[in-house]
Amino acid sequence: QFVRPSIRKLLGCSELFLPRRRLVLDRDVRSTAGRLDLVRGRLVQPLGSTQTRFYPLDGQSSGDPMSIVGADALGHVPIGVSQMAAGEEIVVELLPRA
């Protein structure tokens, strides 16, 4: 969130930030109100649907970094929001693929 844009700027890149999309949340998310929470998750396309959705992964604790391994996106839970319900729109940042 902080280092990547700085390094990319020093390298002369024009795209500093990760690409963002608005997707539908696939399950409820809880957050600490008063701060921006970045929720690790996956992009999923339910059977029979043409719409990509954001599925938050279990193990969101900073003490459980293994969930980042399975993540391909970070969902933004805005400041002041303590819960978002499945079906709501969420802004996600697409993580680069290795």
Side-chain angles (χ1 to χ4, degrees):
Q1 294 299 307
F2 303 107
V3 176
R4 183 181 192 270
S6 300
I7 291 173
R8 291 184 58 82
K9 183 171 180 139
L10 290 171
L11 292 172
C13 298
S14 58
E15 300 286 328
L16 302 182
F17 300 97
L18 296 170
R20 291 184 180 189
R21 291 176 58 192
R22 294 184 77 80
L23 298 175
V24 173
L25 191 56
D26 201 52
R27 68 186 243 198
D28 295 352
V29 170
R30 289 188 180 269
S31 172
T32 303
R35 70 176 191 196
L36 169 69
D37 264 349
L38 299 175
V39 178
R40 298 170 283 228
R42 297 216 31 95
L43 305 180
V44 296
Q45 190 169 350
L47 284 173
S49 174
T50 58
Q51 183 182 42
T52 301
R53 298 172 70 97
F54 178 72
Y55 181 83
L57 297 172
D58 293 329
Q60 293 292 326
S61 166
S62 60
D64 183 10
M66 288 308 292
S67 66
I68 196 71
V69 173
D72 51 19
L74 297 173
H76 289 222
V77 180
I79 295 171
V81 174
S82 60
Q83 183 170 346
M84 293 181 75
E88 287 187 58
E89 256 191 12
I90 188 169
V91 173
V92 299
E93 288 185 58
L94 306 177
L95 296 173
R97 304 243 178 203

